[in-house]
Amino acid sequence: FGLVAMLTYPYLAHAFFGSGSGAVGLFLGTGIHDTSQVLGAALSYKEIFRDERALQVATVTKLTRNVFLVAVVPALAYLHARRTGHAGGRVRVARLFPLFVLGFLAMAIVRSVGDAGLATGGRALAVWDREAWQRVTKMVGEGWGSAALGTAMAGVGLSTNFKSFRAMGLKPLIVGGVSAGLVGVLALILASIVGPHL
């Protein structure tokens, strides 16, 4: 469903919101679950409709959602470990933080510290001036990020086995479709209300 959303939501967003970049970005950032699929849809929208701002809003929206994973994922993992007794009475905190959450947090801190250095009149991370820092962040964020996004999508495709869908039956497919549709409708409503103000 995320793949279908990634391919169709850019056109749906344009049909609903036209040139309203804030609403488009908010819809893509909230209506699609997976980070790589949000960025794929937003990059597609940017390329098709020449709208950089929609990409920025979608990225910030999704990354804001990801920030909450830093708290939510360990909390849920802790509660699950306590409830199921897998922790043997003690829960190791280090195992509660998935690597991708720590990587996201580390990169957010690096970017924030670099930007703070420039804001105080110094250099980003005591190394780069403003123009060089913009080149570095663009190279990592867009250049390396696009390559990583392509790798992630290829990994999802290579790990998808349609035989496993048949083995699970229709119930998970129906639940997934209903929940994806519900999230999409709620994202449309949110983007319609809040998007024009972004």
Side-chain angles (χ1 to χ4, degrees):
F1 293 108
L3 179 62
V4 169
M6 183 181 77
L7 297 174
T8 60
Y9 278 18
Y11 300 101
L12 186 64
H14 189 70
F16 272 93
F17 305 115
S19 59
S21 302
V24 169
L26 188 61
F27 171 64
L28 296 176
T30 56
I32 304 172
H33 172 68
D34 186 71
T35 302
S36 61
Q37 292 166 347
V38 169
L39 295 179
L43 283 168
S44 294
Y45 190 89
K46 175 193 166 195
E47 294 300 317
I48 296 166
F49 300 108
R50 302 288 179 226
D51 191 343
E52 176 79 27
R53 181 146 165 54
L55 169 65
Q56 293 169 349
V57 172
T59 302
V60 169
T61 299
K62 182 56 183 165
L63 294 181
T64 302
R65 290 172 58 195
N66 287 352
V67 164
F68 289 101
L69 291 176
V70 174
V72 172
V73 169
L76 291 176
Y78 176 80
L79 291 173
H80 177 72
R82 291 285 305 261
R83 189 171 296 135
T84 59
H86 288 144
R90 285 187 52 121
V91 178
R92 289 184 23 199
V93 175
R95 297 190 67 196
L96 299 179
F97 289 90
L99 190 57
F100 79 93
V101 172
L102 296 177
F104 168 76
L105 185 60
M107 290 298 101
I109 290 170
V110 167
R111 177 63 193 259
S112 299
V113 170
D115 288 349
L118 292 173
T120 58
R123 292 178 165 263
L125 304 178
V127 176
W128 294 286
D129 62 18
R130 185 170 304 279
E131 290 178 15
W133 181 239
Q134 286 177 342
R135 284 194 305 272
V136 167
T137 55
K138 185 170 184 165
M139 176 185 68
V140 173
E142 292 183 20
W144 297 359
S146 294
L149 177 62
T151 303
M153 296 311 296
V156 169
L158 289 171
S159 65
T160 301
N161 182 350
F162 288 107
K163 289 181 181 177
S164 64
F165 290 130
R166 197 169 357 145
M168 287 189 296
L170 279 178
K171 191 181 279 187
L173 189 65
I174 293 169
V175 170
V178 168
S179 61
L182 182 61
V183 168
V185 168
L186 291 174
L188 274 174
I189 294 169
L190 178 67
S192 299
I193 296 170
V194 179
H197 303 289
L198 297 178

